[in-house]
Amino acid sequence: MRIGIYGGTFNPIHNTHIEIAKAALNQYNLDKVYLLVAGTPPHKDTAESVADICRLEMVELAIQNDKELSIDDREIYRSGKSYSYITLTELKNEHPDDDLFFIMGSDSLLNFKNWVKPEIISNAATILVAPRLGDDTELLNKSIEECKTLFEGEFFLIDYAANGIASSKVREDFYKDEKVKDCLKPEVIQYIINHNLYSEHQYSYPDILKLSEEMKIALKPGRYVHTLGVATTAYALALKWNYPAYTAMVAGMLHDCAKCISDEERLDICESNDLPISDIERKYPHLLHGKVGAYFCSSKYDVYDPQIAHAITYHTTGCPNMNLLDKIIFVADYIEPGRDKQPRLDILRSEAYTDLDRCVYMILEDSVAYLNNNPDMVDPTTVDTYNYYKQYMKEKR
């Protein structure tokens, strides 16, 4: 077989990455190209933006319909710095009778002689180089000739001039420039949004500690203990479902920040700030604590992430088509360690780490059953959410 290996951080993967892989595959009659998702390369800090698993999952989504493209995830799980010569040595041992082709960008070619043990790489695989639009072809050809004199093996250009898009540009402008999204698969776009990747709003553990102290003052002791339980459960669920964990923890810490003010205060805040009040909320103003809490995020606690505000707004009722953080906070509020009155909690706690959508649906089932016994307290949003997830789970099965 003729096997291509195309390494990169893919943070995130964009259409040009895929086009380069396909150009190499077609021009050099490759049977398959493996996208080698970098773990911790010596020249880049992949931890700067997102979890390694998120990068891997975006690649999976981007190539799911391309049978000739596959993933090699070995470097994700390798400890320490990940050098290409180690991977190429492993691959050559695994495919002793196959021809390997190592695909790289023109920037990598120009610096190839400075890589760690480049002679092992060129001896194990033919090097295929993808030029960028605007590259100096004469300079690239000189670099190829230089590499041929320095190392064994063959070096060739791919007949494809990659455009100027870079993953760093996508990370920087994803929420600022809609045109940037044109270079991404729709599934990758949705993944980035749902997992809140590349957001300008970043949080750290000191932020959590600060909010914890503020909640200790704002909440009654029992509510504060509940809040800590929700925050830590949200953190654990975020780790499981590959959502930024500190962002989820901030949302959990603030989800009940308006719980311990009076009904009159909640109504007054909504009316003074044009926050909508439904009939059921006017009748039972305690139901407004989600909306008021979302308002407090920016007005009192300097937390401006819209996903956090949205999750806090709907943490009690849920809403149709919840995003990932919505589900995490909705579930964490229901199953945190201090809860002991709700039915089938042991099942729900297990399901939360197995099938988050099913856990959401099961909680809604129990909530609607409870509200049916208290019909004057039924919030239409909860019923709408239940009906949405009832249909969603049928289609999912």
Side-chain angles (χ1 to χ4, degrees):
M1 292 183 66
R2 294 165 67 83
I3 299 172
I5 301 100
Y6 182 15
T9 52
F10 303 117
N11 188 20
I13 185 169
H14 51 72
N15 294 341
T16 300
H17 290 134
I18 297 170
E19 290 166 7
I20 289 172
K22 289 185 173 180
L25 188 142
N26 293 327
Q27 291 169 33
Y28 291 92
N29 298 314
L30 308 184
D31 296 291
K32 203 169 196 63
V33 173
Y34 287 93
L35 298 184
L36 178 69
V37 184
T40 307
H43 61 295
K44 290 186 180 180
D45 179 10
T46 59
E48 65 189 356
S49 303
V50 303
D52 291 347
I53 293 298
C54 289
R55 294 187 294 113
L56 185 63
E57 289 184 342
M58 284 190 283
V59 174
E60 289 172 347
L61 289 170
I63 67 170
Q64 61 187 342
N65 296 318
D66 289 303
K67 294 181 180 179
E68 294 166 318
L69 304 182
S70 293
I71 293 175
D72 189 316
D73 63 1
R74 73 182 69 212
E75 291 193 354
I76 289 286
Y77 298 102
R78 181 182 292 154
S79 69
K81 294 292 184 181
S82 193
Y83 293 98
S84 296
Y85 83 88
I86 298 174
T87 300
L88 265 296
T89 299
E90 291 176 352
L91 285 166
K92 193 61 181 175
N93 289 334
E94 293 166 14
H95 301 273
D97 300 321
D98 297 326
D99 295 325
L100 302 184
F101 296 79
F102 190 55
I103 302 165
M104 64 173 63
S106 55
D107 54 337
S108 295
L109 171 71
L110 296 174
N111 194 47
F112 183 69
K113 63 184 178 182
N114 298 318
W115 284 26
V116 176
K117 301 186 179 179
E119 68 281 0
I120 293 179
I121 300 170
S122 64
N123 192 49
T126 297
I127 308 298
L128 303 181
V129 181
R132 285 191 179 276
L133 198 64
D135 274 351
D136 184 336
T137 304
E138 185 178 346
L139 177 62
L140 291 182
N141 285 324
K142 283 183 179 179
S143 295
I144 283 178
E145 292 306 314
E146 181 184 18
C147 286
K148 286 181 178 179
T149 62
L150 292 173
F151 313 113
E152 291 185 15
E154 296 184 287
F155 296 75
F156 298 105
L157 287 177
I158 301 170
D159 185 17
Y160 173 83
N163 60 35
I165 192 66
S167 292
S168 58
K169 177 72 171 173
V170 177
R171 295 196 299 270
E172 182 180 348
D173 290 347
F174 184 83
Y175 296 100
K176 303 174 187 174
D177 184 357
E178 284 296 314
K179 291 182 181 179
V180 165
K181 297 176 184 176
D182 293 342
C183 72
L184 301 172
K185 296 282 188 181
E187 298 87 349
V188 174
I189 294 172
Q190 191 55 50
Y191 185 95
I192 291 171
I193 293 171
N194 205 31
H195 291 253
N196 207 11
L197 305 183
Y198 315 125
S199 171
E200 63 179 313
H201 309 289
Q202 303 290 329
Y203 304 96
S204 63
Y205 194 60
D207 295 322
I208 308 299
L209 297 178
K210 178 176 178 290
L211 288 173
S212 176
E213 290 302 311
E214 292 180 293
M215 289 305 99
K216 189 182 292 186
I217 296 169
L219 303 176
K220 295 177 181 178
R223 183 59 50 181
Y224 174 66
V225 170
H226 163 72
T227 291
L228 294 181
V230 173
T232 54
T233 303
Y235 180 86
L237 287 171
L239 291 178
K240 167 60 182 176
W241 300 111
N242 302 325
Y243 188 89
Y246 286 141
T247 301
M249 205 170 189
V250 167
M253 197 65 73
L254 290 176
H255 84 286
D256 269 353
C257 64
K259 189 76 171 181
C260 294
I261 62 175
S262 69
D263 288 346
E264 291 76 16
E265 286 179 279
R266 280 190 278 265
L267 285 166
D268 181 62
I269 289 168
C270 288
E271 290 169 346
S272 300
N273 295 280
D274 297 322
L275 303 179
I277 305 173
S278 67
D279 292 340
I280 190 71
E281 289 168 338
R282 194 169 292 280
K283 187 175 181 180
Y284 299 102
H286 69 275
L287 296 174
L288 288 167
H289 77 279
K291 287 180 181 177
V292 177
Y295 171 74
F296 278 174
C297 282
S298 57
S299 64
K300 289 186 69 172
Y301 300 110
D302 296 324
V303 171
Y304 300 98
D305 191 319
Q307 285 204 6
I308 291 176
H310 192 271
I312 291 173
T313 299
Y314 294 104
H315 77 270
T316 300
T317 62
C319 65
N321 196 25
M322 286 189 273
N323 65 39
L324 182 53
L325 183 61
D326 293 338
K327 296 172 191 175
I328 286 171
I329 299 304
F330 180 79
V331 170
D333 184 42
Y334 200 87
I335 69 166
E336 61 94 0
R339 297 291 198 188
D340 59 6
K341 300 291 192 297
Q342 289 87 337
R344 54 180 181 175
L345 269 172
D346 56 338
I347 300 297
L348 291 171
R349 285 171 174 148
S350 174
E351 202 68 28
Y353 295 91
T354 306
D355 187 334
L356 190 61
D357 287 326
R358 180 168 171 77
C359 186
V360 166
Y361 173 63
M362 292 171 69
I363 291 172
L364 288 163
E365 261 189 326
D366 292 344
S367 298
V368 169
Y370 170 79
L371 291 172
N372 284 340
N373 295 322
N374 302 270
D376 62 331
M377 292 180 61
V378 174
D379 188 319
T381 306
T382 301
V383 177
D384 291 344
T385 306
Y386 168 70
N387 289 330
Y388 175 90
Y389 279 95
K390 184 177 182 180
Q391 182 62 32
Y392 177 83
M393 292 308 295
K394 283 182 181 179
E395 294 172 358
K396 188 175 179 179
R397 284 194 291 267

